[in-house]
Amino acid sequence: MKTKMITRMLLMGLAAVGLLYGQASAVEFNLVAGTTTVNLPGIGDVTMWGFGLEGGPITVPGPALTVPPGESLRINLTNNLPGDNPVSLMILGQAMPTDGESASPQVVRNPDGRIRSFVHETANGESGVYEWANIKPGTYLYQSATHPAVQVQMGLYGGLINNAGENEAYAGVTYDDSTLLIYSEIDPALHAAVENETYGTEAYPSTIDYAPKYFLINGVPYTEGLDNFRTFEVGEKVLVRFVNAGLQTHMPVLMGMDLSLVAEDGNLYPYSKIQYSVPLPAGKTVDALVTPAVAGQFPIVDRALSLTNGGSQPGGMLTYLKVDPAD
Amino acid sequence: MNRKTLTIALLAAMLAVMSSAYGMVEGLSGPNFVLGAKAGYISTPEGGSIYTWGFSNGAASMQYPGPTLIVNEGDVVTVTLSNELPVPVSVVFPGQTGVVAEEISAPTAAGTLTLEAGAPTSDPVVAGGTVKYTFTASHPGTYMYHSGTHMDLQIPMGLVGALIVRPVSEGKAVMGHAYHSMDSMYDDEFLFLMTEMDPNINSLVEQGRMDEVDTAAFFPVVWFLNGRCAPDTMGESFVEWLPTQPYNCMPMMQPGQRVLMRLVGAGHDSHPFHYHGNHAKVIAKDGRLLSSAPENGADLGTALFTIQTGPGETYDAIWTWTGEKLGWDIYGHSPDDPLMPNEYAPDHGKPIPVTLPDNKDLAFGAMWSGSPYLGVQGELPPGEATMGVAGSYFYMWHSHTEKEMVNNDVFPGGMMTMMMVMPPDGGGMPMKSAAE
């Protein structure tokens, strides 16, 4: 996000919530939930629901949101989803958001009493406010809090980053460069059922029948010939932020270098953990540092073996840290 | 499993106790290894025979898992892989740095992870490729190696193995230490390499129906420790009736000994490895001591009774047992008797806190020695035999995902074995220790 845009949003945010939070400054984002497609090898376009910044494209994952150090957060959410599908927002590991008016978060129940949404909803065609008075430093997953078994799988998630300081993820954990890796899966049958409004029928009774066929990092499955590289330089201290927005456990393994795991779920470890594997269950975030000593291409491969694109290989959750010689 | 099979298995376990030298993990000594990638068959105890791809020791047949490669810290290790499979294949070494791959003979090709040895062809007749991988084993520890080609297929097909790097001090391997730390000292070490298979996938591959294989639909029904399903885990290593599954998984110890568990998550799934008898202290993960500073030992390790071993992960843990906290004397001593080695002294001479039932009120398990005391043979009724000839204690060690303790729906089996606590004198059995 450009500085100018941040400034504009800061001003808007101050105008909107300045009274509520006194002198605390808030960063403000205008998010839209809507429909998009992702093109998958072998089967073409699959309907997704995703987030986008107002005026920008709807993407899966949604835009990575960076909350500047020390600021609170306000998101104005517009619901452009099809049909009668309310939507909402929460951030795993942060307090539940309020609507800017109520003092506490409000759950939404179905007529039978079951909770449908962990926080207040925004109806189709409407806009809603989601406010967090305090944001804890770390790497987080934001996602829909409404019918998450369907809506998260449909693509309503993204990464959220709050640093303790400039290039400082947590107190004392500094870095030169960083990359955000969001893991997720797609079961095309679920998406077809949602699109055809047959989800919850015999065609696809529930997510308990979830059987993903595609395995994505940042919304893209590994495909030969694509640019699958994240480029750094020898000697750079790189922060890799691992986030699992999917429903399965993955095990990213970095080949050829040790990772130093420094935090999990936005909580700093008392000591870093030196290992090449990153256990990454659903909803987990892990922050890891690596400082390449030599140039080369270092694969990050899912050792839980989600390495197929609908049955064809190679594919799935594979990317590379490409390390160039230092300037 | 019927009673007869169980008896055979337990007999095998007994034979393992009687004749194998244990205390150290079995495998090939390095630093130069020649591996083949070949097809073959493995056996499962319910009668299954599964088409498997495995690594071989040179010209030998393939084995599952591949040979355990044992090297010393600082060794320049070479692994020369020749491919006899119908698909390209390669080897990667997670946790090792600076691995260099070079072509020894064509065909080879750049793969997604490393240089691959190409498949042989029949028309024209061309042998498969050979690739040499070289790296310096710079850290002691427990590691694995596996195919780096189409891993989602080739790992479940069997192309996995363990790699052990022994610590070196003053130019010599430090025996009885897993790492450079007193916390890693052990008397006996055992490998627990965990894998699983979905035989439907192996069958499709065997028939050449590769297009029908969907690795995302992997659904295992057989589970392995060191390439064997229980009760074969408790048989002897290198038996001729399991020619492609040479390694057993039969942990044994004497009271007070320190047992090093080397856990390797070599397969597709995560397994909660659960051991009875005592908690174990986890001292290392992924071949790195869990330590805040070199002088602090394994201070970041925790005691666990279940180690969740994910795919690609390795753990080292130290387990020991003395009978502490049982509340009675495991030897049935009188208070005036001398202590046995490593006996838990506070319970010396304390009687077992129940009235022992008469034999006529008992049903007899195959391992019951006739006595609740360690190393004691008791009276058994006429017609009852025992496999517990040393008067040992047995603790089940297994995956606590209990569906993994079957072979194709037949219980007991799968990812299960027994820890055998032997009497201090071995009950007349040979007892070797890595510390010797």
Side-chain angles (χ1 to χ4, degrees):
Chain A
M1 193 164 56
K2 292 191 172 62
T3 314
K4 196 173 160 189
M5 202 165 166
I6 294 176
T7 310
R8 186 167 60 89
M9 288 184 169
L10 281 174
L11 289 173
M12 284 168 62
L14 282 172
V17 299
L19 287 174
L20 269 177
Y21 294 107
Q23 289 159 7
S25 61
V27 65
E28 188 165 339
F29 297 99
N30 296 319
L31 274 190
V32 178
T35 303
T36 184
T37 58
V38 59
N39 190 274
L40 295 176
I43 58 169
D45 284 349
V46 170
T47 296
M48 305 289 291
W49 295 349
F51 290 113
L53 290 172
E54 192 173 43
I58 301 290
T59 57
V60 179
L65 305 180
T66 301
V67 179
E71 296 199 9
S72 58
L73 171 65
R74 174 185 167 117
I75 296 177
N76 304 307
L77 176 64
T78 301
N79 182 357
N80 286 348
L81 292 176
D84 178 20
N85 288 295
V87 70
S88 60
L89 280 170
M90 64 178 175
I91 304 168
L92 305 187
Q94 303 283 355
M96 295 306 269
T98 59
D99 61 8
E101 292 168 11
S102 310
S104 58
Q106 307 292 313
V107 300
V108 180
R109 294 176 188 275
N110 278 333
D112 66 2
R114 293 174 63 192
I115 289 179
R116 182 176 73 211
S117 180
F118 298 122
V119 297
H120 61 284
E121 295 176 337
T122 299
N124 292 88
E126 305 282 319
S127 290
V129 173
Y130 296 83
E131 283 187 353
W132 291 261
N134 294 292
I135 291 290
K136 216 159 73 65
T139 301
Y140 298 95
L141 181 69
Y142 72 85
Q143 61 166 69
S144 171
T146 301
H147 202 177
V150 167
Q151 295 204 352
V152 175
Q153 163 59 205
M154 286 300 289
L156 289 167
Y157 54 80
L160 183 132
I161 291 165
N162 178 233
N163 274 355
E166 193 180 349
N167 278 19
E168 185 179 16
Y170 302 87
V173 178
T174 59
Y175 60 89
D176 300 318
D177 205 346
S178 70
T179 185
L180 174 66
L181 303 180
I182 300 182
Y183 287 69
S184 65
E185 314 106 13
I186 291 177
D187 175 0
L190 188 153
H191 290 250
V194 169
E195 189 179 11
N196 303 331
E197 299 185 342
T198 57
Y199 180 88
T201 71
E202 249 178 53
Y204 201 107
S206 82
T207 316
I208 201 134
D209 296 307
Y210 181 66
K213 300 295 179 192
Y214 290 87
F215 305 91
L216 321 165
I217 297 176
N218 293 356
V220 183
Y222 176 86
T223 310
E224 275 180 315
L226 278 189
D227 181 6
N228 297 293
F229 300 104
R230 288 150 220 289
T231 306
F232 303 98
E233 282 182 11
V234 167
E236 267 193 318
K237 194 174 177 186
V238 178
L239 178 68
V240 186
R241 303 176 187 264
F242 293 93
V243 176
N244 188 354
L247 305 184
Q248 297 189 332
T249 296
H250 298 286
M251 184 70 77
V253 160
L254 174 62
M255 295 282 181
M257 289 190 286
D258 276 344
L259 290 163
S260 174
L261 276 54
V262 293
E264 180 175 339
D265 291 348
N267 294 304
L268 187 64
Y269 290 142
Y271 292 93
S272 58
K273 301 181 177 185
I274 310 300
Q275 51 196 64
Y276 57 77
S277 63
V278 183
L280 202 64
K284 178 71 65 188
T285 77
V286 174
D287 294 302
L289 290 169
V290 60
T291 305
V294 293
Q297 290 177 12
F298 301 90
I300 299 179
V301 60
D302 181 22
R303 189 53 181 76
L305 304 182
S306 297
L307 298 170
T308 168
N309 294 338
S312 71
Q313 302 156 313
M317 292 166 166
L318 170 62
T319 188
Y320 298 85
L321 300 185
K322 182 169 180 287
V323 179
D324 291 337
D327 277 342
Chain B
M1 189 168 59
N2 61 29
R3 176 74 186 226
K4 190 175 165 192
T5 320
L6 186 64
T7 308
I8 291 170
L10 293 171
L11 184 64
M14 190 183 74
L15 287 172
V17 176
M18 291 172 66
S19 59
S20 75
Y22 57 94
M24 291 177 68
V25 169
E26 291 148 333
L28 305 179
S29 294
N32 300 307
F33 304 97
V34 176
L35 299 183
K38 303 176 186 180
Y41 291 84
I42 61 165
S43 298
T44 51
E46 89 289 8
S49 175
I50 303 175
Y51 176 77
T52 301
W53 290 349
F55 294 112
S56 69
N57 178 19
S61 61
M62 78 90 196
Q63 64 176 72
Y64 182 61
T68 298
L69 310 180
I70 302 173
V71 302
N72 292 330
E73 178 186 4
D75 281 354
V76 175
V77 180
T78 67
V79 174
T80 305
L81 173 73
S82 293
N83 186 12
E84 297 180 21
L85 291 174
V87 293
V89 70
S90 61
V91 191
V92 291
F93 303 89
Q96 310 302 329
T97 55
V99 180
V100 174
E102 58 182 308
E103 176 184 291
I104 299 300
S105 67
T108 65
T112 54
L113 299 192
T114 187
L115 187 68
E116 299 177 341
T121 55
S122 54
D123 185 21
V125 176
V126 178
T130 298
V131 175
K132 183 164 91 170
Y133 304 92
T134 306
F135 60 92
T136 300
S138 46
H139 295 280
T142 302
Y143 303 96
M144 73 188 81
Y145 66 94
H146 54 72
S147 171
T149 303
H150 290 182
M151 283 162 55
D152 53 318
L153 177 69
Q154 296 194 0
I155 286 175
M157 284 297 293
L159 289 163
V160 301
L163 167 69
I164 291 172
V165 182
R166 299 200 181 282
V168 167
S169 184
E170 295 173 351
K172 282 178 62 181
V174 188
M175 301 312 289
H177 286 67
Y179 295 88
H180 292 289
S181 166
M182 298 289 275
D183 291 342
S184 74
M185 287 180 69
Y186 60 89
D187 299 295
D188 304 295
E189 59 169 349
F190 298 96
L191 179 68
F192 302 86
L193 183 142
M194 294 169 234
T195 55
E196 62 292 290
M197 278 187 182
D198 175 353
N200 288 331
I201 288 179
N202 299 58
S203 180
L204 287 172
V205 171
E206 180 179 17
Q207 298 168 52
R209 295 156 64 185
M210 302 289 277
D211 290 349
E212 296 171 54
V213 173
D214 178 6
T215 57
F218 182 72
F219 189 82
V221 295
V222 280
W223 291 269
F224 303 86
L225 288 171
N226 298 346
R228 292 186 186 180
C229 312
D232 291 344
T233 48
M234 294 170 276
E236 199 178 351
S237 291
F238 305 109
V239 290
E240 62 184 22
W241 43 280
L242 290 169
T244 56
Q245 295 151 278
Y247 302 137
N248 72 358
C249 184
M250 184 67 210
M252 292 178 247
M253 59 94 73
Q254 293 167 320
Q257 287 192 325
R258 288 165 63 90
V259 173
L260 173 67
M261 306 159 60
R262 296 185 183 268
L263 307 185
V264 178
H268 180 287
D269 291 340
S270 193
H271 302 288
F273 191 71
H274 174 69
Y275 30 94
H276 293 190
N278 205 351
H279 301 230
K281 186 180 177 185
V282 181
I283 59 165
K285 168 166 165 50
D286 288 359
R288 301 292 180 268
L289 195 71
L290 296 170
S291 181
S292 63
E295 65 275 19
N296 292 343
D299 62 329
L300 302 182
T302 48
L304 299 176
F305 58 74
T306 302
I307 298 175
Q308 180 75 7
T309 310
E313 295 184 297
T314 74
Y315 289 92
D316 294 284
I318 299 285
W319 184 93
T320 190
W321 189 92
T322 61
E324 180 181 352
K325 296 194 173 101
L326 283 180
W328 49 280
D329 187 321
I330 57 174
Y331 299 102
H333 288 134
S334 303
D336 297 338
D337 288 340
L339 284 166
M340 294 290 274
N342 299 315
E343 183 181 337
Y344 182 64
D347 286 343
H348 185 68
K350 288 186 187 169
I352 197 165
V354 295
T355 304
L356 292 173
D358 191 86
N359 269 357
K360 71 177 185 298
D361 298 324
L362 291 175
F364 292 88
M367 305 309 282
W368 174 244
S369 70
S371 164
Y373 300 116
L374 188 63
V376 176
Q377 293 277 255
E379 191 183 344
L380 291 168
E384 282 293 340
T386 180
M387 303 298 166
V389 286
S392 300
Y393 288 167
F394 294 86
Y395 286 109
M396 185 184 283
W397 287 17
H398 62 101
S399 166
H400 218 296
T401 299
E402 305 225 347
K403 71 173 269 191
E404 298 177 351
M405 292 166 65
V406 303
N407 302 323
N408 247 323
D409 278 348
V410 182
F411 176 89
M415 201 170 273
M416 187 266 277
T417 186
M418 295 282 179
M419 159 54 82
M420 188 172 185
V421 178
M422 313 269 295
D425 61 0
M429 304 282 178
M431 187 81 194
K432 290 189 182 174
S433 134
E436 283 174 13

